[in-house]
């Protein structure tokens, strides 16, 4: 009989998880901190990060389902309160999940609101007296209180799903949705006397969204250090709760226990949601790797950032900055809309970028990719947008680059790179603007070398009109200097490598250093020639 423990992949019901013996990472101490504090809460986290399970856990607590919490932190905490108040009280719980619907028109949003309202009216035997969703909602809360003598608990999952589905497709419909939701959520404040507790989750931050402008009693937990670990899996939780899985994964992949921990950290850890706090593993990827026994891309594969890639390209954003050099203040992180001027806030909110550190003096956050799964997944999606390489050929193409340089075939490597740069498409703006064309060349070079870092250590540095790249093997080092304007010859590039001392750091390593300098043909818009200095 198998002793393999059950991974709760896709399980969003706390009741199912507990009754069917899935692994559960105890987050109930966070719930305990919330229940007797402020009334109305909001949490922004990326998709598949445990928001729905958190709401389901809150639902079970407020329904008084004590048996589901046996052995968890909140059981002891609740017991300590029994002399002060009635414990494990049952409240009317109104749970609204915006996930299942396809929001294609105004009717779609009204349908899901009215469906939930009808369900609640039937459950509590309340007569429908108004037609508008906000009017029905207000009456419902009042009547529930008058019938039961209890204040209601409101749990809203993925509040922004209707907005996210329409914000890049139909501005008029998006505006209509905002108006409807503003009226509906406004009831949470106006009916405060009938409310015990409310919790809303989503991907986007609320502070710039007009639908919450009246909800000044809403407490945002998203960037608070005390709640940075409320969703996801911390290093401590990983090592405490998944020891058998880590051991099995190590054996299956011929790794030591310590090597397996290091590989898990590099691929799936690194999400930070506060100035100070715990870095979190992506729970979806972690559970999947333990279930399958294979280090693969799990979270990234469940959704592609196509529209974000297009916005980055339209904004002519400096792509190398995404890997740890994005700086924003807190207001910038909370900006609601993604547009061609500033696509970065939604990259952070949707989990493609995360906080790397915070500078108290400048009050700026530094953002970057959280881990290798996201880094290489995102860069892989960028490659077809900036080069002629087809989406289904990116992996093969980068591997061919690696094989050529590993075999010492510098000419073959450079010919392949020349072909990519010559095939870069140009829009009306880059036709006229030399600096933007140079940036596109740089981006193509950067992406090739950055993606090769999956197989061999690489470094890429970009500056105006040039890029220098290093590929380091165990026995040799290649140093490339690319001149990406017509100003400068291949000889100039080689001389720059020598004058700047790029090879000095390898002088005592025993490794052979090969310098490659290339020049650029502006008329043909590609690499002109190159020299190899051994």
């Amino acid at each position: 009989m198998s002793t393999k423990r059950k991974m709760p992949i896709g399980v969003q019901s706390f009741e199912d998880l507990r009754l069917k013996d899935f692994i559960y990472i105890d987050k109930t101490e966070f719930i305990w901190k919330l229940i007797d504090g402020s009334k109305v809460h909001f949490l922004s986290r990326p998709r598949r990060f445990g928001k729905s399970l958190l709401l389901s856990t809150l639902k079970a607590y407020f329904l008084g389902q004590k048996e589901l919490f046996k052995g968890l932190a909140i059981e002891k905490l609740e017991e300590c309160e029994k002399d002060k108040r009635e414990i494990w009280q049952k409240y009317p719980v109104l749970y609204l999940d915006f996930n299942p619907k396809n929001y294609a028109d105004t009717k779609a949003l009204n349908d899901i609101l009215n469906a939930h309202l009808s369900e609640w009216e039937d459950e509590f035997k309340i007569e429908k007296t108004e037609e508008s969703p906000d009017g029905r909602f207000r009456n419902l809360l009042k009547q529930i209180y008058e019938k039961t003598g209890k204040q209601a608990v409101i749990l809203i999952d993925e509040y922004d799903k209707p907005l996210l589905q329409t914000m890049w497709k139909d501005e008029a419909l998006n505006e209509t949705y905002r108006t409807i939701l503003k009226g509906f959520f406004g009831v949470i404040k106006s009916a405060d006397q009938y409310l015990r507790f409310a919790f809303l989750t989503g991907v986007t931050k609320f502070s710039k969204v007009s639908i919450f402008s009246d909800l000044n009693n809403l407490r945002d937990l998203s960037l608070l250090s005390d709640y940075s670990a409320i969703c996801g899996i911390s290093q401590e939780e990983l090592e405490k709760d998944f020891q058998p899985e880590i051991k099995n994964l190590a054996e299956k992949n011929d790794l030591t226990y310590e090597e397996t921990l290091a590989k898990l950290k590099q691929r799936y850890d690194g999400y930070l949601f506060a100035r100070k706090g715990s870095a979190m593993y992506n729970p979806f990827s972690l559970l999947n790797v333990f279930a399958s026994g294979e280090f693969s891309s799990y979270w990234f594969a469940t959704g592609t950032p196509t529209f974000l890639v297009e916005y980055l390209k339209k904004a002519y954003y400096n792509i190398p900055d995404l890997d740890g050099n994005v700086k924003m203040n807190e207001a910038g992180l909370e900006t609601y809309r993604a547009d061609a001027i500033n696509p970065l806030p939604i990259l952070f909110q949707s989990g493609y970028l995360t906080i790397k550190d915070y500078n108290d003096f400048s009050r700026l956050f530094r953002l970057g990719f959280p881990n290798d799964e996201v880094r290489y997944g995102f860069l892989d999606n960028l490659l077809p947008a900036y080069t002629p390489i087809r989406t289904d050929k990116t992996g093969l193409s980068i591997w061919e680059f690696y094989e050529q340089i590993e075999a010492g075939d510098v000419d073959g490597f450079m010919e392949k790179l020349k072909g990519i740069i010559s095939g870069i498409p140009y829009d009306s703006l880059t036709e006229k603007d030399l600096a933007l064309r140079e940036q596109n060349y740089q981006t193509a070079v950067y992406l090739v070398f950055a993606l090769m870092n999956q197989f061999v250590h690489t470094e890429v540095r970009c500056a105006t009109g040039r890029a220098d790249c290093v590929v380091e093997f165990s026995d040799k080092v290649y140093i490339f200097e690319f001149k990406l304007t017509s100003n400068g010859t291949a000889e100039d590039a080689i001389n720059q490598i020598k004058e700047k001392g790029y090879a000095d750091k390898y002088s005592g390593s025993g490794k052979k250093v090969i310098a490659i300098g290339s020049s650029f043909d502006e008329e043909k818009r590609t690499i002109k020639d190159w020299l190899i200095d051994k």
Side-chain angles (χ1 to χ4, degrees), residues 449 457-459 461 468-472 477-480 506:
F449 281 87
H457 176 70
T458 65
E459 297 175 17
R461 290 180 294 272
D468 56 86
C469 312
V470 175
V471 182
E472 183 177 2
V477 179
Y478 293 94
I479 302 176
F480 294 82
Y506 306 103

Side-chain angles (χ1 to χ4, degrees), residues 192-249:
D192 180 74
Q193 67 269 39
Y194 310 125
L195 188 66
R196 166 66 179 85
F197 182 90
F199 203 106
L200 298 87
T201 73
V203 172
T204 53
K205 298 295 291 292
F206 76 88
S207 64
K208 299 298 182 187
V209 184
S210 59
I211 62 171
F212 286 125
S213 58
D214 296 332
L215 261 182
N216 55 13
N217 61 337
L218 191 64
R219 185 185 183 204
D220 182 11
L221 309 177
S222 306
L223 291 177
L224 298 184
S225 297
D226 287 347
Y227 294 96
S228 63
I230 195 170
C231 290
I233 298 172
S234 68
Q235 186 70 36
E236 181 182 357
E237 290 166 337
L238 170 68
E239 296 188 38
K240 178 171 71 74
D241 295 327
F242 291 96
Q243 288 183 14
E245 286 72 30
I246 298 168
K247 183 179 178 182
N248 289 339
L249 186 65

Side-chain angles (χ1 to χ4, degrees), residues 36-106:
D36 284 321
S38 49
K39 268 191 181 182
V40 186
H41 309 81
F42 172 78
L43 180 70
S44 167
R45 286 292 183 269
R47 59 187 168 78
R48 297 184 182 272
F49 230 88
K51 301 188 296 293
S52 297
L53 179 58
L54 175 64
L55 284 190
S56 180
T57 311
L58 283 163
K59 178 182 178 182
Y61 173 80
F62 282 112
L63 286 176
Q65 295 177 302
K66 177 182 177 180
E67 69 281 0
L68 297 180
F69 294 88
K70 187 173 178 59
L72 301 180
I74 202 169
E75 182 186 37
K76 292 180 181 178
L77 293 167
E78 189 80 354
E79 189 67 23
C80 292
E81 294 290 304
K82 67 181 180 181
D83 294 333
K84 303 175 186 176
R85 60 169 173 82
E86 181 185 350
I87 61 174
W88 298 108
Q89 290 189 61
K90 183 177 181 180
Y91 292 89
V93 176
L94 310 180
Y95 192 107
L96 200 169
D97 184 1
F98 281 101
N99 263 310
K101 197 79 175 174
N102 179 28
Y103 298 94
D105 51 35
T106 304

Side-chain angles (χ1 to χ4, degrees), residues 118-151:
S118 296
E119 179 185 322
W120 298 330
E121 286 163 347
D122 289 345
E123 179 182 350
F124 295 100
K125 297 178 173 55
I126 291 169
E127 184 180 353
K128 175 183 173 183
T129 58
E130 298 197 39
E131 291 299 323
S132 68
D134 54 310
R136 290 177 71 184
F137 193 28
R138 188 178 296 104
N139 178 63
L140 184 75
L141 293 173
K142 182 175 182 289
Q143 291 296 318
I144 286 175
Y145 181 73
E146 290 175 353
K147 277 187 172 243
T148 67
K150 295 261 190 175
Q151 294 171 307

Side-chain angles (χ1 to χ4, degrees), residues 154-170:
I154 300 171
L155 304 173
I156 298 175
D157 199 9
E158 303 290 6
Y159 87 92
D160 52 352
K161 190 68 175 286
L163 304 176
L164 288 173
Q165 280 196 7
T166 55
M167 68 188 292
W168 301 283
K169 300 175 183 175
D170 190 332

